[in-house]
Amino acid sequence: MRTAVVVGGGPGGLAVSGALARSGWRVTLLERADRIRPEPTAVVLWPNGIRALRAMDLAGGLDAIATPLPDGGVRRPDGHWLVQPRQTPVERLPVVVHREDLHDALIAGLGERVELRTGVTVRTVRVTPGERPAVGDGRQTFEADLVVAADGADSVIRRQLAPEASLISSGCAAWRAVIPWYRAPSLPESVSGEILGAGYRFVAASLGDRGSSGASSRGGIHWMATAAGAPRPEPPETQLALLRRWYAGWPAPVDELLAATDPGDLVQQEIRELRPLPRAYGFPAGPGGVVLLGDAAHAMPPHLGQGTCLAFEDAATLAVLLRESTLPDAVLAYDRARRPRTAVVVRQTRRMSAVLRARGRLALRARDAALGTITPRLLGSAAAVATQWRPPTSSS
């Protein structure tokens, strides 16, 4: 039986562990924390991420936890439409899922061939000709035919295998929250949509149906705000007050949602990215190898909502290639398949970052003047990338 060590219990690590186990692999999943705790926020899954889950046979319960995200268009803070809402075909629409629901679904998909070990901090990786790849925590060595580094943007494995890839600040911070239905404001229209301002962005989406959700449900309204600048060191109460001041006067439902948010709902995150990207995503070692997956391979800002989707793409691609090729050929094939794909998405994300980070009076005027032409074109290109990807097949 082939064996794999997966480092990292995030969505990508859980997905690839379940996919490999279903293909007959014996998997050891290593997680640094004492237990896996997903953020109490939500994630948008575009059609490419959904197809990847289906390819791994992990989308069986997705309909029960996902809410279709209708095209709400894009506005400026003055209410001017940059992109009018459109009648987008259902198959091209993304869905929004509570991270805790997604986590539960991925955990359920692990099966009996996955051994989950928590409290393990990987510190070293071994990639030596003639020996199977391995990772270690200073006390124990975990050896397998394949090592999957899904250990996030701060990946220890990537730093050792691809030191040229530097993790840097993207120059902005993000705040997320889910307002449960019992506390959410009553709004006359759908809250789905996006508002782009000079250095600021606000996105909101409904999680489920208000009428079918109770006080203990994970349903509600999810929102995310990004702002240029460093993360705020103040307590959540002060951060929330700042957000209400920064976004005061923006079109509905921004004021209403921020007013209904409690400090305990707030999750702040520094936005970081890899520059440059790693020179390789696959590293042969003896009869097997090591691969980088998810944020360990291509950490990027969340402006196009593709981080989790790309991690699922990585996992689905790796699972298919491992069924069709022998190691270490599959490791090299994975590298060839994923680097061009992620480079395209990262390039688009960086273009959006540059638009959102505009600072200074002249830069902001130019940015506002360009938003009307740049944003629709860029978002349309991003949507095409999201809808066009298909899992590799035997004929690929």
Side-chain angles (χ1 to χ4, degrees):
M1 179 181 294
R2 295 185 292 180
T3 60
V5 170
V6 177
V7 183
L14 292 174
V16 75
S17 295
L20 292 179
R22 255 182 296 283
S23 296
W25 288 64
R26 175 68 65 181
V27 181
T28 301
L29 175 57
L30 306 179
E31 167 57 36
R32 177 176 55 188
D34 292 335
R35 68 184 182 92
I36 305 175
R37 298 179 179 89
E39 289 181 351
T41 59
V43 60
V44 173
L45 298 180
W46 287 79
N48 54 320
I50 297 171
R51 291 193 190 100
L53 287 174
R54 288 175 178 158
M56 294 182 285
D57 197 23
L58 288 171
L62 189 61
D63 290 343
I65 61 175
T67 303
L69 192 62
D71 191 335
V74 183
R75 291 176 287 170
R76 290 196 316 204
D78 61 5
H80 174 77
W81 287 102
L82 294 170
V83 181
Q84 292 275 356
R86 294 162 295 181
Q87 296 297 319
T88 304
V90 174
E91 65 272 11
R92 294 180 58 188
L93 286 175
V95 299
V96 60
V97 184
H98 200 291
R99 288 184 181 271
E100 293 176 352
D101 287 333
L102 180 61
H103 168 81
D104 290 348
L106 294 174
I107 287 288
L110 291 180
E112 298 179 353
R113 287 195 176 95
V114 179
E115 178 190 6
L116 174 58
R117 302 190 58 169
T118 58
V120 178
T121 301
V122 169
R123 303 181 189 278
T124 60
V125 58
R126 185 183 74 200
V127 179
T128 305
E131 294 186 88
R132 293 204 303 168
V135 294
D137 65 353
R139 296 172 299 177
Q140 185 176 357
T141 297
F142 301 89
E143 184 182 270
D145 300 311
L146 176 71
V147 171
V148 180
D151 47 344
D154 292 299
S155 172
V156 171
I157 296 175
R158 184 200 64 243
R159 289 204 300 266
Q160 295 183 34
L161 297 182
E164 72 282 354
S166 298
L167 186 64
I168 64 172
S169 172
S170 296
C172 60
W175 290 263
R176 295 178 174 87
V178 171
I179 307 171
W181 280 130
Y182 69 90
R183 195 160 27 86
S186 296
L187 301 171
E189 300 177 356
S190 169
V191 299
S192 298
E194 181 171 349
I195 307 173
L196 294 177
Y200 297 88
R201 176 175 182 249
F202 195 95
V203 184
S206 297
L207 279 167
D209 178 15
R210 181 190 295 268
S212 62
S213 299
S216 62
S217 171
R218 290 173 180 164
I221 299 177
H222 172 255
W223 61 260
M224 181 183 75
T226 57
R232 305 297 304 197
E234 299 91 347
E237 293 82 1
T238 305
Q239 295 178 30
L240 187 54
L242 286 170
L243 289 170
R244 289 168 178 166
R245 187 178 73 193
W246 293 341
Y247 292 92
W250 280 42
V254 176
D255 285 343
E256 295 90 336
L257 294 180
L258 291 176
T261 302
D262 285 348
D265 301 330
L266 210 58
V267 176
Q268 181 185 212
Q269 176 190 9
E270 180 183 12
I271 304 302
R272 299 176 297 166
E273 61 186 290
L274 286 174
R275 282 182 181 258
L277 293 174
R279 71 183 189 280
Y281 289 165
F283 304 85
V290 179
V291 298
L292 305 180
L293 184 146
D295 282 351
H298 40 69
M300 69 186 77
H303 305 316
L304 298 182
Q306 282 293 313
T308 300
C309 293
L310 284 183
F312 289 156
E313 283 187 24
D314 292 343
T317 300
L318 181 62
V320 169
L321 294 175
L322 288 170
R323 288 197 298 267
E324 298 178 353
S325 306
T326 57
L327 289 169
D329 291 342
V331 171
L332 296 173
Y334 172 82
D335 177 67
R336 291 192 299 269
R338 295 309 298 159
R339 277 196 297 130
R341 162 66 176 169
T342 57
V344 171
V345 179
V346 168
R347 184 164 56 249
Q348 291 178 322
T349 302
R350 288 175 179 172
R351 290 181 61 200
M352 180 62 83
S353 287
V355 171
L356 292 174
R357 285 201 312 264
R359 306 292 290 272
R361 184 176 300 176
L362 293 178
L364 292 180
R365 287 179 180 174
R367 211 300 298 271
D368 286 343
L371 268 177
T373 56
I374 293 177
T375 303
R377 190 168 63 247
L378 183 55
L379 292 177
S381 179
V385 167
T387 57
Q388 290 172 0
W389 182 86
R390 295 292 189 280
T393 63
S394 57
S395 59
S396 297

